[in-house]
């Protein structure tokens, strides 16, 4: 239990650090204000003013930590340990009754210095902070003590100290601490985790519907991943509750801190499995002071494609197959074809004939040229028009003086005629990726020609869907988006990017709070916003892709090979962090294999792989209950080792079909009472979400589907989720409905299970942090009996 003296000591230091933080903010505000009213004498002054203004605004954004604690930990080095010589930035420990130690550092979410630039708080990402996360009893890294500090509303509410033995096995304890060390060098009763009290307190808090940062409780194996080098591909395999999502996001923040100049220029992309998941994690990076990271799904990377439909699972699996890349390439080749009949083209009062044989020769030559489809279209048009211009000149031009520039002018004239334009569109049409895919899927003959020898007849039939009458009506699916991206590579841009006109004030002020400024300051803030908007105003063709210096991929196990190709096109440097759990691969197109993923991404250097082996979030009772399901779904994977118990074993309720609805309402109500004010999720197979929402509402419970646009999303107290969309989410309590239906996913009958279905069930079972309940009106899967 924390001593009042220690809390008072940390409160005194917190007050000092907060005062210094206010001074830093005032300095940034002064810099902003001076830039706003500076006298401008020329273009150079304007540039300098804008740079200073941008720097000041960015600094103010960094220093705005809201109600988050300024710091959360402290490390005291041994008097002769690594810390004493590691840096001159530590401050002396002035704790009463403390024995002589080396440097002391407070670790927080950003660096804070006093007016003399002496550091008070170090950024959690700084090298010297590693010991806070990495030190263990076996490897103390020179620490004498590690302290976790609990702060709420700028008040220190508690401290937790861990003492480390020195090289001689001696503990350097305060006079009133009478405890001995274990053989490993930790005080007796300690857990094999850093800051066990702080960790368990964080894990025991009620969920809020949004993921928070974990900088106060990062564990050693997690910190090693976060601080891994930027270059290359890092694969992270982690089971339920291991914190792989949080680790990936904190790694993005760490890399931006360490390589800011490079990554702010090149960009950082975070890819998640669905919009609901992105909403769940969207506050993590801003809370760490990083707001310039792009968050997207794979489909979201494919511009101008609105996903409004869902494929049947067998169709989704086929569209994600790598063979579809070849099908698309062959489909495009069938659109590059010679005319079957000659076409007469009027030129003035004369007629020239575009012969089918001419077009066959031009198509054959164009196919051998490098470049994409739309690029080569121009070459086809120029070649045919020039040939017809020569024929016209030879037949109709008598005066040699008229030959000057005659061929070029005649070619331009021919290319402008409606007959030539129509013919060229038939020979080598200008296409978008959407048009190529829509035409392919809506034409049985084209599907058969493109799929012959690549797909079976049954697969070709699966792909067909009726054509839509207009592009606005097309209901694209998630798998279609990846195919459109592939098609765009083949067809290329339809036009060159053109800079856009200067944006109006209303369009550049999105996200800019001008109410915080007045007078000249407001005008300067507006100029800065306009400058940034102009820098981003060059419009890219939809077939031109934005690339990133580092890409973080979460739930990577669910990506199809075609989706992985989308990802690879956005990779600028070969630097990626890819996290997932092959035991939780639930999508139809997933290969559930790290080797298959690497085969598509083809990294430029040997990838590194690390495994997260400890589950911090998921309690022992839940992992033990779900272990048989994991063994059946993915025999080669070991479940993570839990660090805590919830104290409540999972509940399994088997009921009759007639009594199912009332039993579900009663069970859910019981779970709500048990974990209030926490969050509850009822997880069911996707086709029954609306039904279960209605059942719970009819029973008086305020249940909702968090995907509904007008709902409170995951912040609601009670949500109903599809098992297929639950990856990466966590709740205080979970009720799994009809596990046999979930495990049956993708089966040919209604009674058997599939590996994919069992993996989906494993995901559903491992979402809770405290309580798990299962309700079934039909026979349970064998793994749960």
């Amino acid at each position: 239990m924390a001593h009042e003296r220690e809390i008072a000591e940390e409160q005194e230091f917190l007050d000092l650090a907060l005062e210094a933080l206010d001074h830093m903010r005032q300095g940034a505000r002064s810099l902003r204000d001076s830039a706003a009213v500076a006298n401008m004498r020329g273009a150079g002054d304007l540039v300098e003013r804008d740079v200073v203004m941008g720097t000041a605004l960015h600094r103010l954004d960094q220093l705005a930590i809201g109600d988050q604690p300024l710091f959360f930990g402290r490390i005291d080095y041994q008097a002769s340990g690594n810390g004493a010589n590691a840096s001159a930035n530590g401050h002396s420990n002035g704790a009463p009754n403390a024995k002589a130690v080396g440097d002391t550092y407070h670790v927080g979410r950003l660096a804070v210095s006093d007016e003399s630039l002496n550091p008070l708080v170090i950024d959690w990402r700084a090298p010297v902070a590693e010991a806070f996360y990495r030190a263990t009893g076996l490897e103390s890294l020179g620490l004498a003590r590690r302290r976790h500090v609990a702060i709420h509303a700028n008040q220190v509410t508690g401290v937790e100290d861990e003492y480390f033995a020195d090289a001689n096995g001696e503990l350097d304890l305060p006079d009133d601490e009478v405890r001995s060390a274990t053989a490993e060098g930790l005080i007796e009763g300690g857990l094999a985790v850093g800051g066990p009290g702080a960790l368990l307190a964080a894990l025991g808090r009620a969920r809020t519907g949004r993921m928070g940062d974990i900088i106060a409780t990062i564990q050693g194996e997690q910190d090693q991943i976060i601080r891994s080098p930027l270059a290359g591909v890092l694969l992270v395999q982690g089971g339920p509750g291991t914190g792989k999502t949080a680790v990936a996001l904190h790694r993005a923040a760490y890399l931006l801190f360490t390589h800011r100049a490079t990554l702010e220029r090149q960009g950082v992309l975070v890819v998640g499995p669905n919009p609901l998941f992105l909403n769940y994690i969207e506050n993590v990076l801003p809370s760490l002071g990083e707001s310039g990271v792009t968050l997207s799904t794979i489909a979201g990377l494919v511009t101008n494609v609105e996903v409004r439909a869902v494929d049947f699972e067998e169709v989704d699996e086929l569209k994600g197959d790598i063979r579809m890349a070849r099908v698309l390439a062959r489909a495009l080749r069938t659109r590059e074809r010679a005319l079957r009949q000659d076409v007469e083209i009027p030129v003035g009062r004369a007629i020239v004939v575009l012969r089918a044989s001419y077009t066959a020769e031009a198509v054959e030559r164009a196919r051998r040229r490098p470049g994409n489809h739309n690029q080569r279209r121009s070459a086809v048009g120029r070649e045919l028009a020039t040939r017809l211009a020569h024929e016209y000149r030879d037949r109709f031009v008598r005066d040699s003086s008229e030959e000057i520039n005659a061929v070029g002018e005649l070619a331009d004239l021919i290319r402008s005629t409606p007959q030539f334009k129509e013919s060229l569109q038939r020979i080598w049409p200008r296409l978008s990726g959407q048009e190529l895919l829509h035409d392919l899927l809506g034409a049985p003959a084209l599907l058969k020609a493109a799929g012959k020898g690549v797909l079976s007849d049954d697969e070709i039939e699966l792909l067909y869907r009726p054509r839509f009458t207009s592009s606005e009506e097309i209901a694209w699916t998630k798998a279609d988006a990846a195919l459109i991206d592939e098609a765009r590579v083949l067809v290329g841009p339809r036009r060159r990017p053109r800079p856009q006109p200067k944006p109006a004030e209303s369009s550049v002020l999105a996200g800019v709070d001008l109410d915080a400024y007045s007078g000249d300051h407001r005008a300067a803030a507006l100029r800065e916003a306009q400058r940034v908007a102009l820098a981003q105003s060059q419009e890219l063709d939809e077939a031109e892709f934005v690339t990133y210096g580092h890409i973080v991929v979460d739930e990577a196990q669910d990506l199809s090979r075609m989706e992985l190709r989308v990802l690879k096109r956005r990779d600028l440097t070969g630097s990626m962090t890819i996290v997932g759990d092959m035991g939780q691969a639930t999508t139809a197109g997933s290969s559930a294999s790290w080797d298959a993923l690497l085969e598509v991404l083809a990294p430029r250097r040997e990838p590194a792989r690390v495994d997260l082996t400890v589950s911090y979030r998921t309690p022992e009772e839940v992992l033990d209950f779900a272990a048989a399901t994991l063994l059946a779904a993915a025999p080669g994977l070991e479940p993570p080792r839990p660090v805590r118990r919830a104290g409540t074993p999972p509940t399994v309720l088997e009921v009759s079909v007639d009594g199912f609805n009332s039993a579900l309402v009663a069970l859910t109500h019981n779970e709500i009472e048990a974990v209030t004010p926490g969050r509850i999720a009822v997880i069911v197979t996707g086709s029954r979400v609306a039904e279960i929402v209605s059942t719970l509402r009819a029973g008086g419970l305020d249940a909702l589907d968090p995907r509904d646009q007008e709902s409170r999303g995951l912040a609601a107290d009670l949500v109903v989720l599809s098992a297929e969309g639950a990856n990466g989410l966590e709740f205080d309590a979970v009720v799994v409905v009809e596990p046999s239906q979930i495990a049956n996913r993708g089966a040919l009958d209604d009674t058997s299970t599939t590996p994919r279905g069992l993996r989906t069930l494993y995901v559903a079972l491992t979402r809770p942090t405290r309580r798990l309940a299962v309700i079934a009106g039909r026979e349970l899967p064998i793994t749960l009996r």
Side-chain angles (χ1 to χ4, degrees):
M1 184 173 181
H3 299 294
E4 291 184 3
R5 181 194 68 231
E6 295 163 324
I7 292 177
E9 172 194 348
E10 294 299 339
Q11 184 65 56
E12 181 181 356
F13 182 83
L14 175 60
D15 294 340
L16 175 65
L18 287 172
E19 182 179 346
L21 178 62
D22 285 340
H23 179 76
M24 293 169 65
R25 288 175 180 148
Q26 183 56 47
R29 283 192 288 266
S30 297
L31 184 65
R32 177 199 66 190
D33 295 348
S34 62
V37 298
N39 292 324
M40 301 296 108
R41 298 181 179 179
D45 290 340
L46 287 170
V47 171
E48 181 180 355
R49 191 261 339 266
D50 287 345
V51 169
V52 172
M53 176 63 76
T55 301
L57 294 177
H58 181 65
R59 185 61 175 153
L60 284 171
D61 186 53
Q62 287 181 320
L63 297 175
I65 63 173
D67 59 358
Q68 299 285 350
L70 176 56
F71 63 85
F72 47 80
R74 164 179 155 177
I75 48 178
D76 299 347
Y77 280 94
Q78 303 279 356
S80 59
N82 296 336
N85 300 318
S87 170
N89 292 337
H91 47 275
S92 298
N93 176 29
N97 299 322
K99 299 179 182 178
V101 296
D103 289 341
T104 292
Y105 299 88
H106 280 80
V107 182
R109 60 184 56 251
L110 79 164
V112 177
S113 302
D114 62 18
E115 295 184 26
S116 300
L117 299 183
N118 297 311
L120 298 176
V121 180
I122 59 171
D123 192 295
W124 67 275
R125 295 166 288 190
V128 73
E130 285 188 39
F132 180 78
Y133 300 111
R134 301 274 188 95
T136 66
L138 294 175
E139 186 59 57
S140 69
L141 302 180
L143 291 190
R145 172 171 61 183
R146 169 170 53 203
R147 170 175 289 177
H148 286 260
V149 183
I151 298 174
H152 179 71
N154 292 336
Q155 294 295 314
V156 177
T157 59
V159 299
E160 175 192 14
D161 284 339
E162 298 171 88
Y163 293 91
F164 297 87
D166 61 18
N168 299 318
E170 297 293 329
L171 278 174
D172 196 15
L173 296 174
D175 293 338
D176 55 355
E177 291 283 356
V178 184
R179 283 180 284 181
S180 60
T182 65
E184 292 80 19
L186 291 175
I187 57 175
E188 288 182 335
L191 297 175
V193 293
L199 175 63
L200 295 177
L203 294 172
R205 294 190 192 105
R207 305 299 100 181
T208 64
R210 295 292 183 95
M211 175 179 279
D213 64 65
I214 62 167
I215 53 174
T217 57
I218 293 171
Q219 299 300 300
E221 68 170 2
Q222 297 173 328
D223 188 66
Q224 290 180 4
I225 295 170
I226 290 170
R227 297 177 192 268
S228 294
L230 170 66
V233 172
L234 177 65
L235 304 178
V236 182
Q237 161 71 38
T242 55
K244 56 186 177 295
T245 296
V247 166
L249 294 173
H250 285 67
R251 173 162 167 74
Y254 169 78
L255 291 176
L256 278 164
F257 174 82
T258 309
H259 307 277
R260 187 165 303 282
T262 299
L263 291 181
E264 283 194 341
R265 183 180 70 255
Q266 296 176 343
V268 174
L269 170 67
V270 174
V271 176
N274 53 61
L276 188 65
F277 178 85
L278 295 181
N279 290 338
Y280 176 62
I281 68 170
E282 67 181 356
N283 287 341
V284 175
L285 285 167
S287 77
L288 299 174
E290 304 297 346
S291 56
V293 176
T294 300
L295 273 63
S296 180
T297 62
I298 290 290
L301 295 173
V302 186
T303 56
N304 299 331
V305 175
E306 183 181 359
V307 175
R308 294 189 286 117
V310 178
D311 283 313
F312 290 113
E313 289 203 346
E314 58 269 27
V315 178
D316 182 69
E317 181 176 6
L318 178 57
K319 288 181 177 179
D321 195 299
I322 195 68
R323 293 176 297 164
M324 288 302 298
R326 187 178 175 194
V327 170
L328 285 168
R330 294 178 66 177
L332 182 59
R333 187 177 177 87
T334 64
R335 305 297 298 275
E336 302 164 351
R337 57 191 186 271
L339 294 176
R340 294 184 178 181
Q341 296 180 337
D342 298 345
V343 174
E344 293 184 344
I345 298 177
V347 181
R349 291 178 292 177
I351 297 291
V352 293
V353 179
L354 178 59
R355 302 192 183 280
S357 60
Y358 296 173
T359 65
E361 294 169 6
V363 167
E364 187 60 30
R365 277 190 289 271
R367 282 176 171 172
R368 294 196 296 265
R369 288 191 179 99
N372 57 56
H373 172 85
N374 286 334
Q375 284 176 330
R376 290 177 290 158
R377 182 182 191 271
S378 297
V380 172
R382 285 194 303 269
E383 178 180 336
L384 292 175
T386 300
R387 187 166 186 172
L388 294 181
H390 277 291
E391 288 190 0
Y392 180 94
R393 182 200 61 185
D394 294 342
R395 290 175 56 193
F396 302 111
V397 177
R398 305 302 180 190
D399 187 348
S400 60
S401 64
E402 297 180 13
E403 291 188 26
I404 301 176
N405 298 325
V407 172
E409 294 173 359
L410 282 169
D412 291 341
L413 179 60
I414 291 169
R415 292 179 69 179
S416 68
T417 62
Q419 293 83 351
F420 185 88
K421 289 180 179 178
E422 180 183 348
S423 298
L424 182 58
Q425 188 66 11
R426 288 163 55 195
I427 299 166
W428 201 283
R430 178 178 282 111
L431 292 169
S432 67
Q434 295 95 310
E435 289 169 338
L436 177 61
L437 183 63
H438 184 230
D439 291 345
L440 172 64
L441 299 182
L446 186 54
L447 271 172
K448 187 173 182 179
K452 185 177 181 181
V454 181
L455 305 177
S456 68
D457 290 342
D458 289 342
E459 288 174 326
I460 291 172
E461 187 176 345
L462 269 179
L463 287 175
Y464 171 75
R465 69 182 182 202
R467 287 180 58 83
F468 292 86
T469 56
S470 69
S471 59
E472 290 77 16
E473 296 177 358
I474 302 175
W476 298 114
T477 67
K478 181 171 71 73
D480 288 335
L483 295 180
I484 289 171
D485 200 71
E486 184 78 26
R488 287 174 175 174
V489 175
L490 297 172
V491 301
R494 298 188 65 168
R495 54 177 172 75
R496 288 183 175 274
R498 289 187 287 273
Q500 298 301 295
K502 184 175 181 178
E505 177 175 333
S506 59
S507 66
V508 302
L509 294 184
V512 178
D513 183 15
L514 288 184
D515 291 337
Y517 310 95
S518 61
D520 293 334
H521 300 165
R522 183 184 187 281
L526 175 58
R527 286 195 300 268
E528 173 65 15
Q530 289 174 330
R531 184 184 66 81
V532 173
L534 280 173
Q536 300 173 341
S537 66
Q538 188 178 54
E539 183 183 355
L540 294 178
D541 185 273
E542 61 187 15
E544 296 174 306
F545 310 122
V546 177
T547 56
Y548 298 87
H550 187 77
I551 299 178
V552 174
V553 188
D554 201 1
E555 305 297 341
Q557 74 277 355
D558 278 338
L559 297 181
S560 72
R561 286 171 171 83
M562 294 303 295
E563 288 174 322
L564 288 169
R565 288 170 69 89
V566 175
L567 203 60
K568 183 174 175 59
R569 293 181 195 110
R570 274 69 184 179
D571 174 24
L572 176 63
T573 64
S575 176
M576 304 177 78
T577 301
I578 305 175
V579 303
D581 178 14
M582 292 306 160
Q584 299 184 64
T586 62
T587 60
S590 169
S591 62
S593 164
W594 286 114
D595 290 339
L597 180 147
L598 291 174
E599 182 181 349
V600 177
L601 292 180
R604 305 165 194 177
R605 61 174 69 188
E606 185 69 22
R609 172 174 166 174
V610 291
D611 286 27
L612 288 169
T613 59
V614 179
S615 177
Y616 305 97
R617 170 181 56 78
T618 310
E620 181 181 57
E621 297 90 337
V622 170
L623 286 175
D624 288 349
F625 183 76
T629 300
L630 175 63
L631 180 63
L637 290 179
E638 289 288 332
R641 295 175 288 112
V643 300
R644 67 187 185 97
R645 297 189 180 105
T648 306
T651 300
V652 179
L653 185 61
E654 297 182 78
V655 299
S656 66
V657 174
D658 292 340
F660 180 85
N661 287 355
S662 58
L664 172 61
V665 171
L667 178 62
T668 305
H669 188 271
N670 181 65
E671 295 301 312
I672 292 173
E673 288 189 336
V675 300
T676 298
R679 266 63 180 176
I680 318 295
V682 177
I683 301 180
V684 63
T685 189
S687 60
R688 296 190 63 186
V689 169
E691 171 202 339
I692 298 302
V693 168
S694 297
T695 297
L696 294 174
R697 286 180 174 174
L701 298 176
D702 186 18
L704 56 82
D705 182 344
R707 296 171 300 179
D708 292 344
Q709 294 295 322
E710 297 181 359
S711 75
R712 288 169 289 162
L714 293 173
D717 294 335
L718 175 60
V719 299
V720 180
L721 285 175
S722 71
E724 300 88 338
N727 291 69
L729 306 179
E730 60 182 47
F731 305 90
D732 295 275
V734 166
V735 177
V736 178
V737 175
E738 293 294 9
S740 60
Q741 288 184 336
I742 298 173
N744 179 249
R745 188 177 177 207
L748 299 177
D749 56 65
D750 293 334
T751 58
S752 60
T753 62
T754 66
R756 177 154 46 92
L758 289 169
R759 291 194 296 265
T760 307
L761 177 58
Y762 182 65
V763 170
L765 295 172
T766 55
R767 295 309 91 201
T769 62
R770 294 167 62 186
R771 295 171 61 91
L772 172 65
V774 174
I775 183 170
R778 48 194 289 182
E779 188 177 29
L780 289 168
I782 192 171
T783 60
L784 298 185
R785 295 176 200 165

